[in-house]
Amino acid sequence: MSDKYLTFTKSAIGRLLVKNLGLPEPVALERYADGDPLVTGTVLLGGRGRLAESLAGILGTLGVETADGRTDGTRYKGLVFDATGLTSVDQLVELQEFFTPVMRSLETCPRVVVIGTPPSQVEGPERIAQRALEGFTRSVGKEIGRGGTVQLVYVAAGYESSLASTLAFLLSPKSAYVSGQVVRVGTHAEEKAATVTDWTRPLAGKVALVTGAGRGIGESIARTLHRDGATVVGLDVPQAASELTKVMGEIDGDWLTLDITAPDAPQRIARHLAEKHGGVDIVVHNAGVTLDKKLANQSPDRFGKVISINVDAPQRITAELLAQKVVNPNGRIVGVSSIAGIAGNLGQTSYAASKAGVIGFVDSLSDELTDGITINAVAPGFIITQMTAAVPFATREVGQRLNAMSQGGLPIDVAETIAWFASPGSTAVNGNVVRVCGQMMLGA
């Protein structure tokens, strides 16, 4: 599906109407294509703190060109500011001193990353200064324009060397529709990140289970994990068998058809993964359903079905895989939540409850997992799919424009975020819920 309004704004009459009526003017986002460099252009480094001396080296391992001083006339594809050295409120002005002179020197679709220390790890004025970074980055995200993104990464002390996979994602076109987010590295980790030797195929040799893989976002997740080297086991309901087998056939994957809410589904999945693949490295709980009605018109069966599919089944399946030790060491568990689980939505009490439950699922396990296994979630906003194409025009337009990028996202945007979580280099990325919503104006 395409964004017809975005296409219209690039036409002669569209440009005229946008200019004269003050209409939203979305920028065509740059997205990653297999074989592309992670960053095309120069990333300017600034700030002082724990990472000041190591950032250039970390980015160098990713093939990213960096500069540590601004040059007049130079345009930058990215900005990375080390704010871990800000220990008092008065030092926050250093943010303005670095960013203001270069904000008009950014390329199209630029990437901005501010690195801080988790406020929970520091006290007094330093905690205040570090917490202030959240308001700063979210506001810059709404100002940057030109398809740009802005993120804050809190890096726990001792986990500075575990930052590469996160910077590779946030500075590249893979994060095209992720902005205004706070990512925590090392705050729920027991181990450092594994070494990634090939950033083009970081999942080589890994096995990934993707539920709801026959179409839409699930299909995109399966294809993206395969692109990064994984063997994908796609799972879907029997009614979607033809779609599922077609997708899996095209990516040399395996497939399994069953109802994930069935009492024996966790055991069947565990047995399949153990017997055919010797275990699993990545588990993506993507399968979901919406049965929207206002609460006054809701029935127990409809409400219960949404809860059962969207959050109860993932919890039961994960528990079984962990109990049987089917999830390999340094494994990844990823849930798919929704902006509705954060901000709520009219007529979606069951759906919003289930998707908030996915966030609770992440919270409940993030400090319990061992052997380097992690759990995170994505929370998509308005993603353009066949399902959203059926939404009434006016509602669809509001959904697509009510974000800092004035457009809807694509399934690949969700898939790329999950691929970042899945990377062996993301061992220290645990307990996060990252919105894929173009910095939607609703929710925190």
Side-chain angles (χ1 to χ4, degrees):
M1 305 302 293
S2 62
D3 187 337
K4 295 180 180 178
Y5 174 80
L6 190 154
T7 303
F8 170 72
T9 63
K10 307 308 174 188
S11 67
I13 188 172
R15 286 193 296 269
L16 181 64
L17 290 175
V18 165
K19 179 179 179 180
N20 291 324
L21 299 180
L23 298 174
E25 188 175 7
V27 172
L29 302 181
E30 295 175 0
R31 290 184 167 87
Y32 179 79
D34 197 10
D36 285 353
L38 289 174
V39 179
T40 304
T42 302
V43 174
L44 178 65
L45 307 180
R48 55 187 176 86
R50 291 183 283 117
L51 289 116
E53 295 184 359
S54 61
L55 274 174
I58 293 172
L59 294 177
T61 65
L62 302 174
V64 177
E65 179 184 346
T66 60
D68 59 5
R70 184 173 68 89
T71 303
D72 289 342
T74 300
R75 299 189 69 79
Y76 300 102
K77 192 64 176 179
L79 307 173
V80 178
F81 185 85
D82 179 8
T84 61
L86 303 184
T87 59
S88 61
V89 174
D90 62 294
Q91 293 173 350
L92 289 170
V93 71
E94 294 179 23
L95 294 165
Q96 182 274 328
E97 292 170 347
F98 172 77
F99 283 103
T100 296
V102 295
M103 292 302 289
R104 291 186 174 87
S105 301
L106 296 175
E107 303 271 12
T108 302
C109 297
R111 300 286 181 263
V112 173
V113 176
V114 174
I115 302 172
T117 300
S120 60
Q121 290 193 343
V122 291
E123 301 293 338
E126 185 173 0
R127 175 178 287 194
I128 299 170
Q130 292 299 316
R131 182 59 179 81
L133 299 176
E134 296 188 29
F136 176 81
T137 52
R138 287 189 171 120
S139 295
V140 176
K142 294 176 179 178
E143 292 183 7
I144 191 169
R146 300 190 303 283
T149 67
V150 182
Q151 327 289 350
L152 170 61
V153 181
Y154 282 133
V155 182
Y159 286 87
E160 294 82 3
S161 63
S162 298
L163 194 56
S165 73
T166 298
L167 290 177
F169 173 65
L170 296 179
L171 290 175
S172 76
K174 295 180 179 183
S175 59
Y177 201 60
V178 177
S179 190
Q181 298 306 289
V182 179
V183 176
R184 292 169 174 82
V185 176
T187 55
H188 295 277
E190 62 165 16
E191 297 183 22
K192 304 297 194 302
T195 300
V196 177
T197 56
D198 184 356
W199 287 99
T200 64
R201 287 177 59 81
L203 303 181
K206 303 296 184 182
V207 176
L209 171 70
V210 180
T211 68
R215 56 206 176 281
I217 292 174
E219 177 184 350
S220 188
I221 294 168
R223 293 185 183 279
T224 301
L225 297 182
H226 167 71
R227 178 204 69 191
D228 285 359
T231 297
V232 178
V233 181
L235 185 154
D236 219 317
V237 292
Q239 303 93 296
S242 61
E243 297 166 298
L244 178 65
T245 55
K246 179 178 182 295
V247 173
M248 292 303 111
E250 290 174 355
I251 64 173
D252 298 321
D254 184 19
W255 61 85
L256 184 62
T257 55
L258 55 77
D259 178 355
I260 60 173
T261 66
D264 64 343
Q267 291 75 25
R268 290 174 60 189
I269 294 169
R271 183 167 60 250
H272 183 93
L273 292 170
E275 293 179 356
K276 291 199 65 175
H277 301 280
V280 67
D281 302 285
I282 302 153
V283 178
V284 183
H285 294 293
N286 166 72
V289 65
T290 60
L291 296 173
D292 298 348
K293 277 188 179 295
K294 289 185 178 180
L295 188 58
N297 303 320
Q298 190 62 269
S299 69
D301 288 346
R302 290 173 63 91
F303 195 98
K305 183 176 182 178
V306 173
I307 298 297
S308 180
I309 294 173
N310 292 2
V311 66
D312 184 51
Q315 184 272 328
R316 291 171 53 240
I317 292 166
T318 300
E320 185 70 20
L321 295 177
L322 292 173
Q324 293 196 31
K325 297 189 181 300
V326 176
V327 180
N328 295 324
N330 204 32
R332 304 285 180 263
I333 301 164
V334 183
V336 177
S337 180
S338 167
I339 191 70
I342 297 171
N345 206 7
L346 178 67
Q348 288 196 320
T349 52
S350 58
Y351 184 73
S354 70
K355 293 305 186 179
V358 172
I359 297 173
F361 175 48
V362 171
D363 290 343
S364 70
L365 283 183
S366 58
D367 287 325
E368 303 296 326
L369 299 171
T370 59
D371 297 326
I373 300 171
T374 68
I375 183 168
N376 297 279
V378 292
F382 192 99
I383 305 298
I384 300 172
T385 63
Q386 288 182 337
M387 182 179 72
T388 56
V391 173
F393 175 80
T395 303
R396 186 170 69 248
E397 280 303 302
V398 170
Q400 290 186 93
R401 309 307 157 206
L402 200 61
N403 60 73
M405 297 179 181
S406 298
Q407 60 191 285
L410 300 179
I412 186 62
D413 300 321
V414 180
E416 294 284 20
T417 308
I418 290 172
W420 157 52
F421 285 147
S423 170
S426 296
T427 304
V429 181
N430 187 32
N432 286 269
V433 178
V434 172
R435 293 189 300 164
V436 185
C437 64
Q439 197 177 8
M440 197 169 183
M441 303 305 180
L442 301 175

